[in-house]
Amino acid sequence: RKEVEQDPGPFNVPEGATVAFNCTYSNSASQSFFWYRQDCRKEPKLLMSVYSSGNEDGRFTAQLNRASQYISLLIRDSKLSDSATYLCVVILYGNKLVFGAGTILRVKS
Amino acid sequence: NAGVTQTPKFRVLKTGQSMTLLCAQDMNHEYMYWYRQDPGMGLRLIHYSVGEGTTAKGEVPDGYNVSRLKKQNFLLGLESAAPSQTSVYFCASSPGLAGDFYEQYFGPGTRLTVT
């Protein structure tokens, strides 16, 4: 079983739609979580951290479910510019990061 | 500030050749990392450094060596390139531990092809 698993997609949604991705992790000792965004042929950039209490930033909401060992990302009112690959990142401790392979989102007009 | 820069952006090597990838950051970050990204897989950590003069192995270190002689630079070397090392290489830096919710700042990547 992979340490971090994501549905590769692609998720094809119309502008204005709400879309949600999940990311499951296998190690219950994982301590920190992030969502990064990666545009085509570009470097990853931090989208948001995922705290135990959740995190909301404008149209984006991230949640952590420790009991079921997954994190989620909800995007409301999707924009064309949201089209990208969304990477789930799980930190076991210190600097041991594990990246998911990413979920592709395509927002269409 | 330029952030994190990588040199070169593209390179084609023949099997058995050697090369060095250069990463530079101007943010005075202590931590620096080298990752590789392959299709269908997440970024995998090759080596990392927790400060000037230090290096440590990551998940996939075989076939690579690194050096951090200056705080702002982190070099990744391939002594004898193999086709399995065809990948996109990303350098990153951070001011603190990811486990403490510090962001990693990535460079633009180096696309390496080994024939």
Side-chain angles (χ1 to χ4, degrees):
Chain A
R1 181 184 174 188
K2 289 184 179 179
E3 290 183 270
V4 176
E5 295 202 66
Q6 295 184 251
D7 181 341
F11 285 62
N12 295 302
V13 302
E15 274 187 292
T18 295
V19 62
F21 315 131
N22 283 344
C23 165
T24 60
Y25 60 94
S26 61
N27 193 321
S28 61
S30 301
Q31 60 174 171
S32 309
F33 309 86
F34 298 90
W35 284 103
Y36 275 72
R37 171 195 168 125
Q38 186 172 26
D39 293 318
C40 188
R41 301 178 75 83
K42 298 286 190 180
E43 71 271 23
K45 293 184 179 178
L46 180 66
L47 179 65
M48 58 198 312
S49 304
V50 187
Y51 305 115
S52 296
S53 57
N55 193 9
E56 185 171 327
D57 184 3
R59 298 182 292 109
F60 298 84
T61 300
Q63 298 282 356
L64 166 63
N65 185 318
R66 283 198 183 274
S68 300
Q69 294 184 204
Y70 73 88
I71 64 171
S72 63
L73 178 67
L74 180 77
I75 305 175
R76 290 180 294 278
D77 189 22
S78 298
K79 311 291 185 191
L80 293 175
S81 57
D82 293 334
S83 296
T85 298
Y86 291 84
L87 308 176
C88 166
V89 184
V90 175
I91 294 88
L92 290 178
Y93 56 84
N95 275 322
K96 183 168 170 47
L97 287 81
V98 181
F99 283 77
T103 296
I104 298 170
L105 172 65
R106 296 180 183 147
V107 182
K108 300 187 183 298
S109 59
Chain B
N1 286 353
V4 180
T5 58
Q6 292 183 231
T7 309
K9 289 186 169 52
F10 304 92
R11 186 73 186 268
V12 178
L13 286 179
K14 293 187 188 306
T15 298
Q17 288 184 320
S18 64
M19 77 164 295
T20 299
L21 283 67
L22 171 64
C23 175
Q25 53 97 2
D26 61 2
M27 297 174 283
N28 201 34
H29 288 170
E30 289 293 336
Y31 301 88
M32 295 188 75
Y33 315 82
W34 275 107
Y35 293 93
R36 61 177 289 172
Q37 186 174 36
D38 301 295
M41 303 183 72
L43 279 81
R44 291 181 291 167
L45 184 64
I46 304 171
H47 286 280
Y48 65 99
S49 168
V50 300
E52 181 178 314
T54 75
T55 63
K57 293 181 180 179
E59 180 186 354
V60 289
D62 293 341
Y64 306 95
N65 56 74
V66 288
S67 64
R68 184 130 179 243
L69 299 179
K70 293 184 178 181
K71 186 177 183 179
Q72 64 267 33
N73 296 336
F74 195 28
L75 278 63
L76 178 71
L78 286 73
E79 291 186 345
S80 179
S84 61
Q85 294 178 304
T86 293
S87 188
V88 180
Y89 292 85
F90 287 102
C91 176
S93 72
S94 67
L97 292 173
D100 294 331
F101 288 103
Y102 283 96
E103 176 180 355
Q104 296 211 341
Y105 296 81
F106 285 83
T110 295
R111 296 183 179 276
L112 175 66
T113 302
V114 183
T115 61

